[in-house]
Amino acid sequence: MTLRLPGPDGTLRAYQPRAEPLAFSSGSAFTSRTVFSAAHVVADPYADTTPDGPAAVDWDATLAFRRHLWSHGLGVAEAMDTAQRGMGLDWAGAAELVRRSAAEAKATGGRIACGVGTDQLTTGTLADIRAAYEEQLAVVEESGAQAILMASRALAATARTPDDYLEVYGHLLRQSAEPVILHWLGPMFDPALEGYWGAADLDAATDTFLEVIAAHPDKVDGIKVSLLDAQREIDLRRRLPQGVRCYTGDDFNYPELIAGDEQGFSHALLGIFDPLGPLAAEAVRVLDTGDVPGFRSLLDPTVALSRHLFQTPTRYYKTGVVFLAWLAGHQSHFAMVGGLQSARSLPHLARAYELADGLGLFPDPKLAEDRMRTLLSLYGVHQ
């Protein structure tokens, strides 16, 4: 049976849902690349909450989704932007998420890295910002997870020169117990991070970023770059010290960046690998055999979906990610912490469904079709 899906111009078009999913097998860790999926959180739909109140998380469903990612060999990047840090999930909720997910990773043998930020603060002195980072770093290290030092809104608001960034990050790297991942999140993901590393000019910002790494290469496992600029990432990874990895966070250009070139490649830490988990894992396993064309043939067709989910305003990509998790049967509802399910339009969600269904991402296409039909009817689109 066809579905009538709304387009951006308000007209309805007929779409024939897929009858069969693609089959993806579970698997062990990869050999050629280190790959993390930044994972979303599942809200508790029965909690009596408000958009500006503390998040209510369905812990069972949230941890089940992480087990799903681990079962396909992916690592989990926890308490990151995809988990709505600073967009519905506060530090108290993130700390609980880190503890629970790290314990689950230990029990199941899954790889996990967790975000360390300063979201206890809105503003503060550099000393306040260091203390906030230290508090979060202690929670992550005590959980046994690897730390990801995320960009700080408070630092972006307080720092006046590149030296302020060098001082704060140098302090944190000197005291970190194990090598960390440094995260450069661009303003398209969070407008409050404009001018990070002390300059609006990206060339100058890159120089400061590399100076931080060069001063402490033994404390930097790698960098995650989320600037949606493939050439800038390639240029940056070619300037990294030996042994420091580049984890692409480019949800527009990830196939080519992971495949790499004669001078190197990127590993991955991607929000789009939340909905793409099994397919992405299959592609990387093909890459493990040295079959770059086979890898590209699997992953290249997913870019249209990723570019759709991450379209401007990019920070609302989480809505599409959670929507697809609902359609795929990973959760029983389409509700989000902070009420963020309202952040994308019905035509946007309809196109996301169409693209994901075309890729065969839904384990049960009939369930996805029925849930899409329910959503359409709630919006008054009668079939």
Side-chain angles (χ1 to χ4, degrees):
M1 185 182 296
T2 61
L3 284 174
R4 298 167 69 220
L5 301 178
D9 61 356
T11 61
L12 297 176
R13 65 186 186 282
Y15 175 72
Q16 181 63 52
R18 187 186 186 107
E20 298 293 334
L22 291 181
F24 302 110
S25 59
S26 299
S28 57
F30 314 118
T31 58
S32 65
R33 303 289 188 274
T34 300
V35 180
F36 291 96
S37 166
H40 74 279
V41 292
V42 182
D44 179 355
Y46 304 123
D48 186 11
T49 59
T50 59
D52 56 353
V57 176
D58 181 337
W59 294 113
D60 289 341
T62 294
L63 294 176
F65 188 76
R66 280 129 184 87
R67 292 192 296 272
H68 154 73
L69 294 172
W70 285 320
S71 75
H72 288 279
L74 296 158
V76 168
E78 187 58 276
M80 301 290 291
D81 185 58
T82 306
Q84 295 181 244
R85 287 290 292 271
M87 290 185 69
L89 188 70
D90 61 12
W91 166 234
E96 182 70 9
L97 181 62
V98 166
R99 295 186 182 101
R100 287 177 181 256
S101 291
E104 196 73 16
K106 190 177 298 182
T108 60
R111 182 165 185 166
I112 190 168
C114 299
V116 171
T118 64
D119 39 336
Q120 313 96 308
L121 305 174
T122 51
T123 59
T125 65
L126 291 180
D128 294 332
I129 291 164
R130 285 196 305 270
Y133 265 128
E134 288 171 343
E135 177 189 356
Q136 296 200 16
L137 181 61
V139 169
V140 170
E141 290 185 338
E142 288 165 5
S143 77
Q146 183 178 16
I148 304 171
L149 293 186
M150 301 192 300
S152 162
R153 291 176 179 174
L155 183 54
T158 301
R160 293 293 172 261
T161 68
D163 286 342
D164 291 336
Y165 289 88
L166 293 170
E167 191 277 325
V168 169
Y169 278 90
H171 175 84
L172 295 169
L173 290 172
R174 283 190 295 273
Q175 72 177 64
S176 63
E178 300 291 340
V180 307
I181 298 172
L182 296 179
H183 186 190
W184 185 356
L185 190 69
M188 67 288 294
F189 288 93
D190 187 343
L193 300 177
E194 183 71 48
Y196 212 73
W197 305 111
D201 177 76
L202 290 179
D203 291 335
T206 297
D207 288 342
T208 302
F209 188 41
L210 287 167
E211 190 174 346
V212 169
I213 299 163
H216 308 277
D218 58 320
K219 288 296 187 75
V220 181
D221 164 68
I223 62 169
K224 176 187 181 326
V225 187
S226 300
L227 298 176
L228 304 183
D229 184 334
Q231 191 57 53
R232 182 167 293 278
E233 178 175 322
I234 292 168
D235 293 342
L236 175 55
R237 80 185 181 202
R238 289 176 179 170
R239 297 174 64 187
L240 291 174
Q242 185 70 27
V244 176
R245 308 183 215 199
C246 180
Y247 294 91
T248 188
D250 187 332
D251 300 279
F252 284 5
N253 304 292
Y254 50 93
E256 64 186 85
L257 291 165
I258 297 169
D261 55 31
E262 66 282 354
Q263 297 186 51
F265 56 82
S266 294
H267 300 271
L269 199 166
L270 288 161
I272 191 56
F273 279 8
D274 179 303
L276 293 184
L279 192 158
E282 184 78 12
V284 176
R285 266 184 267 281
V286 170
L287 186 60
D288 286 346
T289 71
D291 183 1
V292 174
F295 165 79
R296 294 294 298 266
S297 70
L298 284 169
L299 214 53
D300 283 0
T302 69
V303 172
L305 171 63
S306 189
R307 286 178 175 252
H308 176 73
L309 295 181
F310 285 79
Q311 69 183 220
T312 304
T314 303
R315 62 190 180 278
Y316 294 121
Y317 76 88
K318 296 96 164 172
T319 300
V321 165
V322 175
F323 173 65
L324 294 181
W326 172 56
L327 294 182
H330 293 299
Q331 53 196 81
S332 62
H333 59 85
F334 178 37
M336 298 177 66
V337 298
L340 210 63
Q341 67 271 13
S342 66
R344 291 294 200 189
S345 68
L346 183 62
H348 177 92
L349 298 176
R351 181 60 177 158
Y353 162 73
E354 184 178 4
L355 290 167
D357 184 63
L359 291 168
L361 291 184
F362 301 127
D364 183 345
K366 186 62 169 62
L367 174 67
E369 177 187 345
D370 289 345
R371 288 185 168 181
M372 189 69 218
R373 196 180 301 277
T374 297
L375 183 71
L376 289 166
S377 69
L378 288 173
Y379 277 80
V381 181
H382 303 295
Q383 302 297 315

